[in-house]
Amino acid sequence: VGTYPSSVKIGAPQKHFSLDEDDLTNKVYEVPEKYRILNNVPVAFSFAKTNIVSFLFDCTFKRSFIDGLLLQIAAYHSALDLKIILITNKENESEWDYLRKMPHVWSDDKSIRFFATNTGEIKRVTSYLEKEFLTRQAFFRKKSEDGSENVQEVRSVDKELPYSKYSTYYLILTDDFRMLKNTNFINEFFKEKLNLGFSLVMFEDSMRNLPQECETFVVLGEKECGILNKMSLFYVKYVVFFISVWFSNI
């Protein structure tokens, strides 16, 4: 809960010079300014609308926050609608061990578990993701006779929610982006401007290892946190997050 810019724009008459003070007119001018920023409201965040994001931690409750976030995600989305992909390292593997038991980390045919901690596992998981990603991408693109690619005409509704065409959404989590950054899948993912049903969520303690494609950061401290991006800066006074994770058309 914290402060957040209002999504409702309130207009008021333009101020004009006057020799007479009008208390009622002054109150009209005060309304837009008063409600421009809302206080003590739930701060929601969509992994679908912002499908590349990093959580930066400078606090002692990092683990409990991540576990609570995953609990919320798993509770509200079935394993058929949402797949959770974890890329971590051997050092942090034990912290994520409970994910192995979740149905969300398995493919529908149970042929692959989306839990990778080494080069071989990462290659297998990202190859699976790349195949699905390119299949979806082909729907929105077409090849001309000379082999060059042109973005297909897409209906306006699909431009906003292209992922809604697919029943399964892929949420990729990593606490060590370095293990993922050189894969073919992540390079294709970064080049695509449409959200085809894939989100990348990174958990880090600093920006040092983050990719330049990440423009949104959720910063958590002991007493306050904030959402930062190129266009805006929001501060939350108390770390009680209501995160809306809107995935696919479920």
Side-chain angles (χ1 to χ4, degrees):
V1 177
T3 58
Y4 204 82
S6 174
S7 59
V8 178
K9 292 185 178 181
I10 303 175
Q14 188 175 358
K15 285 187 176 182
H16 295 285
F17 175 76
S18 175
L19 295 175
D20 300 320
E21 281 289 329
D22 188 334
D23 292 339
L24 188 58
T25 301
N26 290 337
K27 287 187 178 296
V28 171
Y29 296 145
E30 292 173 4
V31 170
E33 186 61 29
K34 181 179 180 180
Y35 294 102
R36 184 175 63 86
I37 299 294
L38 302 178
N39 297 308
N40 299 317
V41 296
V43 178
F45 189 88
S46 169
F47 289 153
K49 287 188 175 181
T50 305
N51 69 331
I52 302 176
V53 61
S54 175
F55 285 79
L56 299 174
F57 296 90
D58 184 21
C59 57
T60 56
F61 52 85
K62 174 180 178 179
R63 193 68 248 169
S64 61
F65 179 87
I66 294 174
D67 293 344
L69 181 62
L70 289 177
L71 176 62
Q72 179 193 156
I73 291 172
Y76 287 106
H77 303 88
S78 79
L80 292 177
D81 298 322
L82 177 68
K83 301 300 180 186
I84 298 175
I85 296 90
L86 177 70
I87 307 296
T88 187
N89 53 45
K90 284 293 184 182
E91 183 180 348
N92 298 335
E93 180 180 4
S94 60
E95 296 181 349
W96 301 94
D97 205 47
Y98 65 91
L99 277 183
R100 295 180 185 272
K101 303 176 179 66
M102 293 176 58
H104 298 74
V105 301
W106 287 94
S107 61
D108 289 341
D109 60 4
K110 299 297 188 293
S111 64
I112 182 171
R113 181 163 55 188
F114 304 122
F115 193 106
T117 62
N118 58 54
T119 303
E121 291 173 347
I122 291 172
K123 183 176 180 180
R124 187 181 180 208
V125 168
T126 56
S127 293
Y128 181 100
L129 295 175
E130 183 181 12
K131 182 179 178 180
E132 177 64 22
F133 184 84
L134 294 178
T135 299
R136 295 185 180 191
Q137 192 178 61
F139 179 83
F140 291 95
R141 294 178 178 270
K142 63 180 179 180
K143 290 211 173 217
S144 61
E145 292 182 358
D146 63 359
S148 63
E149 284 191 344
N150 298 303
V151 176
Q152 208 174 29
E153 289 265 343
V154 182
R155 291 178 295 139
S156 59
V157 64
D158 295 332
K159 287 181 180 179
E160 295 180 5
L161 303 171
Y163 57 86
S164 66
K165 283 190 164 292
Y166 306 99
S167 61
T168 303
Y169 199 101
Y170 293 89
L171 177 64
I172 305 155
L173 309 176
T174 182
D175 59 1
D176 189 352
F177 178 75
R178 292 171 298 181
M179 301 188 69
L180 186 61
K181 69 177 182 180
N182 293 323
T183 62
N184 291 332
F185 163 72
I186 207 65
N187 291 327
E188 291 294 330
F189 172 75
F190 283 151
K191 287 188 291 185
E192 179 57 64
K193 300 305 179 185
L194 295 176
N195 182 354
L196 301 179
F198 295 78
S199 289
L200 173 64
V201 178
M202 295 162 282
F203 302 108
E204 294 285 351
D205 295 327
S206 71
M207 295 184 180
R208 188 180 304 113
N209 298 319
L210 295 176
Q212 63 181 9
E213 290 81 2
C214 183
E215 299 179 350
T216 302
F217 312 90
V218 180
V219 183
L220 293 103
E222 291 293 345
K223 295 185 178 180
E224 65 179 23
C225 61
I227 301 173
L228 296 82
N229 56 48
K230 286 187 174 180
M231 301 300 295
S232 54
L233 170 61
F234 312 136
Y235 282 113
V236 181
K237 293 182 179 178
Y238 302 100
V239 186
V240 181
F241 255 80
F242 295 83
I243 298 189
S244 300
V245 280
W246 308 325
F247 295 120
S248 192
N249 55 344
I250 53 180

